[in-house]
Amino acid sequence: MGYKSILTVLTREQPELLDSAIAMTQREDAHLDVFCMGVDHTQSGYYYAGASAYVFQESIDKAMTAASELEEMVRARLANEQIRWSVESAVAQVGGLSTLVGMRARYSDLVVLTRPYADDATPDAEAVTEAALFEGSAPVLIVPQDLSKPCGRKIMIAWNQSNEAMAAVRRAMPLLQAADEVEITVIDPSPHGPERSDPGAALCQMLTRQGVKADIAVLARTLPQISDVINRRAIEIGADMIVMGAYGHSRFRQAFLGGATRSMLEKAQIPVLMAH
């Protein structure tokens, strides 16, 4: 079973993201839902008494106009595409953004988004990504490039035996089954872990029974950050997609101390499918 409901969320004109969502929709013969958001960033604490109502209304009006214009642009872009699609727009304050995105992601098989920490990322990209992962419990495909290029032929699974990694593998099963090659990459496994001296073997057996052409590679941690090892290995084997768990540590910890998820969302050069 493939992905039949694909969602992407736009907070401004992002033609590359829309192109990627269209490409994935065509590949999966799916239905594309595009959610256009106008975000009101008003902070009431910054205004003197009596002025808030006027400032709020002006900010909301701007957000509504932005959402409406974005929806018109998307409809014009999709009008000539040979796919099934729908477009919806809404306005939210920053605090309500997660609820709106999460409700739509919950009923989607896959959410296609861009890197939330890239130099050209929108101010709300991080909140949108985390809303899809946590509130929506949906797999998220992070695309740092246009998906019109072939991807998913050689997939690398960053396997660390965690619940998050297993969730990502299960959500990526349609892609894994369609891939020509899959590598289960295990980095610096603990000899006292649940898989002991045979890391990745149980996962490989599970995938093989699903018709996935999988192999295992066990690597030493030769760089300070796990994400650097993952990215280097992906380049070495010519992988065009990475599957990994998201936020094995808390978001608070990763925001201050860093982590594999945040680092991958900053540095990834190929599509990354994440799930929590």
Side-chain angles (χ1 to χ4, degrees):
M1 184 178 70
Y3 306 107
K4 295 305 176 185
S5 295
I6 295 177
L7 170 71
T8 192
V9 181
L10 305 178
T11 56
R12 70 179 186 198
E13 284 194 37
Q14 294 171 280
E16 296 84 3
L17 175 56
L18 187 55
D19 289 343
S20 295
I22 291 170
M24 180 57 72
T25 302
Q26 291 171 333
R27 167 179 169 156
E28 297 294 315
D29 188 24
H31 182 103
L32 176 62
D33 295 309
V34 183
F35 188 37
C36 303
M37 292 197 67
V39 182
D40 173 16
H41 294 93
T42 303
Q43 299 294 326
S44 58
Y46 296 147
Y47 303 109
Y48 57 85
S52 296
Y54 298 102
V55 175
F56 286 165
Q57 188 60 52
E58 181 181 3
S59 181
I60 291 172
D61 288 345
K62 288 181 179 178
M64 291 178 65
T65 300
S68 178
E69 291 176 350
L70 188 56
E71 180 180 352
E72 290 180 11
M73 182 276 293
V74 172
R75 288 185 179 279
R77 171 68 178 83
L78 294 175
N80 298 319
E81 293 291 337
Q82 300 301 311
I83 59 172
R84 300 181 297 278
W85 57 271
S86 60
V87 182
E88 183 184 6
S89 63
V91 172
Q93 289 189 311
V94 176
L97 186 149
S98 294
T99 300
L100 279 176
V101 173
M103 284 298 295
R104 283 152 184 81
R106 179 178 297 176
Y107 301 105
S108 302
D109 298 321
L110 182 69
V111 183
V112 180
L113 300 172
T114 56
R115 290 184 302 173
Y117 304 112
D119 293 338
D120 59 346
T122 66
D124 308 296
E126 179 181 359
V128 169
T129 301
E130 292 185 355
L133 284 168
F134 289 90
E135 280 75 11
S137 299
V140 174
L141 183 64
I142 301 296
V143 287
Q145 61 190 24
D146 185 355
L147 269 187
S148 60
K149 299 178 181 179
C151 71
R153 293 179 178 175
K154 185 159 188 175
I155 300 178
M156 174 181 158
I157 299 173
W159 179 245
N160 63 357
Q161 308 172 28
S162 67
N163 292 335
E164 292 79 15
M166 179 55 78
V169 169
R170 293 189 185 281
R171 297 299 186 90
M173 193 62 71
L175 295 171
L176 297 173
Q177 290 172 325
D180 295 332
E181 298 177 67
V182 173
E183 179 180 286
I184 301 167
T185 305
V186 188
I187 301 170
D188 197 20
S190 170
H192 306 294
E195 296 183 348
R196 299 183 183 274
S197 62
D198 205 5
L203 176 62
C204 187
Q205 182 183 69
M206 184 192 88
L207 293 177
T208 300
R209 290 174 178 173
Q210 291 284 345
V212 178
K213 307 174 187 68
D215 293 310
I216 304 171
V218 180
L219 309 178
R221 181 173 178 172
T222 56
L223 295 170
Q225 293 189 323
I226 291 291
S227 58
D228 292 333
V229 181
I230 293 172
N231 282 319
R232 186 177 67 179
R233 181 62 180 175
I235 294 172
E236 287 176 352
I237 66 174
D240 53 25
M241 183 178 291
I242 297 170
V243 172
M244 63 181 290
Y247 294 105
H249 298 295
S250 71
R251 286 175 283 179
F252 180 84
R253 171 177 170 170
Q254 295 221 19
F256 285 92
L257 301 180
T261 303
R262 187 180 181 94
S263 186
M264 286 298 295
L265 293 176
E266 291 175 348
K267 301 176 181 179
Q269 299 301 312
I270 59 176
V272 180
L273 188 142
M274 292 184 165
H276 179 78

